[in-house]
Amino acid sequence: MTANSLMQRRSAIKPDTLIVGIDVAKFNHVACTLVPGGAIGRPLEFANSREGFATLSAEIEAQKPTPASAVIVGLESTGVYWINLARWLAEQGYQVVQVSGLYVHRAKELTDNSRGTSDGKDALLIADLVAQGKYLGFVRPAGILADLRHLVRLRQRLVRERAARYNLLHQSVDLLFPEFATVIKDVTGPSARRVLRRFPTPAAALAHPPDEMRRLLSEDGRVWVSVAKLAQLQAVARQSIGTREGTAGSEYALNDTLLELDSLDTRVKQVEAEIDRLLAPVDETPILTSLVGRMTAAVILGETGGLRQYRCAAAVLKLAGLNLYQISSGQ
């Protein structure tokens, strides 16, 4: 936060501006109001429901110095509990800003020389930080970009789950048939997984001649593994050091991992298809995809809510946590 941006935020707060700080929780929020240089309201607890939001709105209107007074509402982005509240407040015409949880934590002891915390104290701290101009803008994706954000995060979760299953697959192969990867290098690839379903152990690989192995593999679809490659697999199987105890349980675990990978592959493709459908009508998509891949473009649009919301590239870099900063003092 530069001195210029801090001054701009402070100048936006007029003497009759009502500032509301909200400590967000799952079931009940706590709000506290203040007017710069004026009165501080008592903490108000209200439910995370439409009725609770209406109670908050009535309190805000009652505390405004004048009917025309501007209202700025500051809150911490706690989990997902703040999202519906922030959207509702914005729909009521209030300016909604975010206050860093780190700012609130550091300001606790400055307020009353105590590290103690309470919902009322935190709400007041948030309001006070907003009054000092120490807040962040509120970015709320809407329409297609809001859907895109959820789908991008779903895809990221599925890809992480798939990576975890890849690790389990490597563990199973290293236990049952460690020489497998010397013949079929990419153990996680579709060809390797097809072979492992049929021949997960050295004993299974030696049960049939190579041409018969290929015929069995063809029953599951088109085969990309040659007879010569299967012959190599049999050659290493004869010298395998793979475990021979408890193989039934290990094979079951391997098969379960393969089934999970098939499911995750399908789900990732479905999500990516939906992401592509949503990207198509967005006018920023052609520019971004000329520079980066379509999934990276989807991440940028979903997480930023559209680049038109930002005055400069530096603001986007700061949002991503990539802004450079200087540490210097004295000589």
Side-chain angles (χ1 to χ4, degrees), residues 68-328:
S69 295
V71 177
I72 302 179
V73 182
L75 43 78
E76 289 183 85
S77 52
T78 305
V80 299
Y81 310 129
W82 65 282
I83 296 175
N84 292 331
L85 174 60
R87 186 193 69 248
W88 187 87
L89 288 166
E91 290 172 352
Q92 306 310 305
Y94 303 134
Q95 180 183 352
V96 183
V97 298
Q98 296 182 70
V99 175
S100 167
L102 182 61
Y103 286 178
V104 177
H105 177 74
R106 289 178 173 174
K108 289 182 190 294
E109 194 167 353
L110 297 176
T111 302
D112 56 6
N113 199 32
S114 170
R115 295 184 181 180
T117 185
S118 67
D119 295 338
K121 177 180 177 180
D122 288 354
L124 176 58
L125 283 174
I126 292 170
D128 188 45
L129 288 168
V130 173
Q132 297 175 46
K134 298 174 181 177
Y135 59 83
L136 306 172
F138 173 58
V139 178
R140 182 170 67 93
I144 289 177
L145 297 182
D147 293 331
L148 202 57
R149 170 181 279 191
H150 291 299
L151 288 175
V152 162
R153 293 182 177 182
L154 172 60
R155 179 184 177 274
Q156 290 173 337
R157 178 174 62 79
L158 292 174
V159 169
R160 286 195 299 269
E161 290 179 10
R162 186 168 61 181
R165 295 299 186 279
Y166 283 160
N167 290 335
L168 291 176
L169 178 60
H170 278 287
Q171 292 175 19
S172 294
V173 173
D174 289 343
L175 179 66
L176 292 169
F177 199 166
E179 298 80 11
F180 185 93
T182 64
V183 178
I184 303 179
K185 305 298 183 182
D186 184 9
V187 174
T188 63
S191 295
R193 284 153 57 178
R194 178 92 64 83
V195 173
L196 286 168
R197 286 189 190 91
R198 288 280 184 173
F199 314 109
T201 64
L206 294 171
H208 306 280
D211 55 346
E212 179 65 12
M213 291 173 68
R214 198 169 194 279
R215 187 193 67 78
L216 291 171
L217 289 171
S218 67
E219 294 179 359
D220 302 326
R222 190 171 181 180
V223 182
W224 298 98
V225 183
S226 66
V227 173
K229 185 74 71 173
L230 294 172
Q232 294 177 30
L233 192 65
Q234 285 197 335
V236 298
R238 294 188 182 94
Q239 307 298 322
S240 178
I241 59 170
T243 185
R244 298 179 182 179
E245 298 178 356
T247 55
S250 298
E251 287 182 50
Y252 189 95
L254 172 60
N255 186 60
D256 180 74
T257 299
L258 294 171
L259 290 173
E260 287 284 344
L261 284 172
D262 289 345
S263 173
L264 287 167
D265 284 345
T266 300
R267 291 157 65 190
V268 168
K269 288 179 181 178
Q270 290 173 343
V271 173
E272 289 181 347
E274 184 63 13
I275 288 174
D276 285 336
R277 186 186 71 79
L278 293 176
L279 279 175
V282 179
D283 55 4
E284 294 180 47
T285 297
I287 300 172
L288 285 172
T289 52
S290 69
L291 302 171
V292 296
R294 72 188 197 285
M295 288 302 119
T296 302
V299 171
I300 293 172
L301 291 173
E303 294 299 330
T304 62
L307 297 177
R308 285 190 175 87
Q309 297 194 54
Y310 303 88
R311 290 176 297 175
C312 59
V316 180
L317 291 175
K318 187 171 184 178
L319 178 70
L322 300 175
N323 57 309
L324 298 176
Y325 60 90
Q326 177 180 347
I327 298 177
S328 63

